[in-house]
Amino acid sequence: KTLNLNPRNGSLDPAVACCWFKPARASVVAPLSAPNQIKVLPRWPVRSKARPRTAALTPAPHEGIAGFFRSTPAAAKAARSDDDRAAAQAYRRYDDTLRAYQAVDFDDLIALPIGLLATNEAAGAQWRERCGYLLVDEYQDTNPAQYRLIKLLVGDRSAFTVVGDDDQAIYGWRGASLDNLAELPKDFPALKVVKLEQNYRSTVRILRSANALIAGNPKLFDKKLWSDRGHGDPIRVSPAADDEAEAE
């Protein structure tokens, strides 16, 4: 209601506005071959291997948005180990429980709009007109699904700005991809790159050290950070016994 969404465009009951969904978490448990055995799966393998909606799989044209609700069987077929198969089975149960409760999770908040915009021309046009101009911060931390959503929202107008730094990409472990940065000049040939190289927080000595440390990293967009905050104090190396000692 807040976003003025058209309930006829969605696949959920329009009477269900939103809900915090906790019961489904208990279902992310995979039964093993023995009747009385269960296996509690780590959250990351379950999400990464059993749920290809995170990668924004494209449904068949006749399926529309409902095609995204049937992505977990593909994960079961692609499973190569017992853990993969258990994860796929557990997430199928998780998805079934979500649908029974007419609920969505954070992945759905990306995947379902993609399904809608990719298969419903009128809805896509409405949202491209409504967005006008798109600004995406921390772009280096986006995943392929989020990039696809961006492209669907900006359309042919390409009226958008993204702010990101390949040297600050730290979320690959949860699906973020630097390919999103690399693909931008290919998908949008008129892209203009503006380098924000002045640092307003650190001193010259800190920035020179940082530049030296990352000099060997693969670069998508070369840059040199600089500061007018003075040379700064000498850098000290303080060894710590472990992470807790380091924090203290």
Side-chain angles (χ1 to χ4, degrees):
K1 185 176 180 181
T2 303
L3 295 175
N4 194 26
L5 297 173
N6 182 351
R8 290 187 296 275
N9 287 337
S11 59
L12 302 174
D13 185 346
V16 182
C18 67
C19 66
W20 289 101
F21 192 70
K22 294 182 180 179
R25 292 187 178 184
S27 73
V28 187
V29 176
L32 302 180
S33 54
N36 296 322
Q37 287 184 318
I38 61 171
K39 182 173 186 177
V40 179
L41 297 163
R43 189 162 181 80
W44 171 241
V46 170
R47 297 187 70 84
S48 63
K49 297 177 181 177
R51 203 160 194 220
R53 282 211 304 273
T54 311
L57 294 182
T58 304
H62 67 278
E63 289 184 318
I65 198 170
F68 284 89
F69 288 150
R70 288 190 286 278
S71 59
T72 46
K77 291 181 180 179
R80 299 182 182 275
S81 69
D82 289 342
D83 277 353
D84 286 359
R85 283 185 284 274
Q89 185 178 3
Y91 235 105
R92 178 59 184 266
R93 293 175 60 194
Y94 172 77
D95 274 350
D96 288 346
T97 308
L98 278 174
R99 304 314 150 214
Y101 277 84
Q102 285 286 295
V104 296
D105 66 8
F106 286 108
D107 279 351
D108 291 324
L109 296 179
I110 300 295
L112 296 183
I114 289 174
L116 174 64
L117 299 176
T119 59
N120 187 317
E121 188 68 31
Q126 174 189 352
W127 278 98
R128 283 189 288 273
E129 177 65 25
R130 183 165 186 177
C131 285
Y133 200 96
L134 201 64
L135 171 63
V136 183
D137 197 11
E138 302 293 355
Y139 182 73
Q140 75 280 351
D141 296 329
T142 58
N143 61 38
Q146 291 167 321
Y147 183 35
R148 188 171 180 213
L149 180 58
I150 291 168
K151 289 191 289 186
L152 287 167
L153 286 173
V154 302
D156 295 333
R157 292 176 59 235
S158 303
F160 72 97
T161 295
V162 300
V163 183
D165 181 1
D166 50 321
D167 286 319
Q168 296 186 47
I170 59 173
Y171 286 109
W173 57 273
R174 71 175 188 188
S177 175
L178 279 179
D179 289 343
N180 290 2
L181 272 170
E183 293 298 317
L184 274 176
K186 302 174 187 177
D187 293 337
F188 302 96
L191 181 75
K192 180 180 179 181
V193 178
V194 179
K195 296 183 180 181
L196 307 177
E197 297 177 299
Q198 182 176 3
N199 186 290
Y200 296 91
R201 297 178 180 176
S202 301
T203 60
V204 172
R205 195 189 299 268
I206 291 292
L207 294 181
R208 284 180 180 174
S209 301
N211 285 329
L213 284 172
I214 65 176
N217 293 352
K219 298 288 183 183
L220 291 175
F221 300 97
D222 193 33
K223 54 192 171 296
K224 279 290 184 182
L225 302 180
W226 62 276
S227 171
D228 60 3
R229 292 177 58 84
H231 201 63
D233 298 328
I235 295 175
R236 293 182 293 111
V237 178
S238 301
D242 52 33
D243 54 349
E244 293 187 2
E246 182 181 358
E248 292 175 358

